[in-house]
Amino acid sequence: MTRAEPAASIAAEATPGSDFRRRLLDAMAEAVRERSYRETTVADVVRNARTSRRTFYEHFDSKQDCFIALLAERNSETIQQIYDAVDAGAPWRTQVRQAIEAWIGASQQDPTITLAWIRDIPALGEAARQVQHDAGEAFINLIQSLTATPGFEAPGLHPLTRQMATILYGGYRELIAFTVEQGRDISEIIDVAVDTAIALVGPRYEPPR
């Protein structure tokens, strides 16, 4: 079985645009790092991008629209990094670690934005909920795809069902957020995340009769 390729984009907002669009997305990320999303204003974004309000509104309808576009892009990039990091020909336990290390590594690149994605997006209305839903679907599909290769077809292994993949996605997401909020290094959760995935996928322990 071959591994499915990731979707080209989680949402339309993640599609690369003009140089100004790129500058505005980067400026939004900078403003969120400096002030948090709630405190960020369009003026902050425009100042960081060294452009005008007119240019901002040529690319985005609102501060929220720009923020959602940034998060959609980051999630697409994270999923691609995970796919790229996993060697489908490696032993299955190695593949599990490769995937989780790539996920944590992507989260570490910009932990403030990672936390903003988890904590701020649920309160931003229908458009944000759609992006959140699409991101969840993409991560769940990713997890199932990564465990649907020949390396995971050995006797006794259990390729993840959708429900199991959903539990892993939600649990890892919350654990990452909690660790960032505590001001701790996200890499410290790698081993427990790997052990959890291996426990779900690996052979079940059956006590002797």
Side-chain angles (χ1 to χ4, degrees):
M1 184 181 297
T2 59
R3 177 175 300 156
E5 290 299 320
S9 173
I10 291 176
E13 288 89 350
T15 304
S18 69
D19 289 342
F20 279 116
R21 178 185 169 87
R22 173 78 269 142
R23 284 166 57 182
L24 289 164
L25 289 172
D26 291 343
M28 171 60 76
E30 182 180 352
V32 172
R33 289 186 213 107
E34 292 173 347
R35 301 172 56 84
S36 82
Y37 170 71
R38 292 175 184 271
E39 298 298 323
T40 290
T41 65
V42 170
D44 295 324
V45 177
V46 168
R47 182 179 62 254
N48 290 345
R50 298 182 180 178
T51 187
S52 66
R53 280 180 174 269
R54 177 178 177 180
T55 298
F56 179 91
Y57 287 110
E58 286 174 354
H59 293 276
F60 301 106
D61 293 335
S62 63
K63 178 186 87 166
Q64 177 175 309
D65 184 37
C66 182
F67 183 56
I68 290 172
L70 171 67
L71 297 181
E73 179 183 77
R74 292 295 178 87
N75 277 287
S76 290
E77 291 172 351
T78 296
I79 287 172
Q80 188 62 58
Q81 287 177 40
I82 296 169
Y83 269 103
D84 291 344
V86 176
D87 176 5
W92 70 272
R93 286 183 176 83
T94 300
Q95 292 185 52
V96 168
R97 180 167 288 276
Q98 288 171 337
I100 290 172
E101 286 181 347
W103 192 342
I104 299 303
S107 300
Q108 283 181 306
Q109 290 172 8
D110 206 336
T112 302
I113 304 303
T114 297
L115 185 60
W117 160 253
I118 297 170
R119 295 296 189 235
D120 291 324
I121 203 76
L124 298 186
E126 186 58 37
R129 282 194 292 273
Q130 185 60 51
V131 172
Q132 186 178 31
H133 173 269
D134 292 345
E137 287 292 307
F139 272 98
I140 290 165
N141 291 337
L142 164 73
I143 292 168
Q144 287 194 275
S145 176
L146 292 178
T147 60
T149 60
F152 287 86
E153 294 176 357
L157 298 188
H158 302 79
L160 296 180
T161 64
R162 178 178 176 79
Q163 287 133 332
M164 294 162 70
T166 301
I167 289 170
L168 278 182
Y169 168 64
Y172 288 165
R173 190 169 172 268
E174 187 61 29
L175 184 57
I176 289 168
F178 178 78
T179 305
V180 172
E181 287 176 329
Q182 294 293 308
R184 288 152 42 199
D185 185 346
I186 311 176
S187 64
E188 72 180 49
I189 72 173
I190 289 176
D191 287 344
V192 69
V194 170
D195 290 345
T196 301
I198 287 175
L200 279 176
V201 176
R204 306 292 189 265
Y205 171 73
E206 295 184 5
R209 296 179 180 178

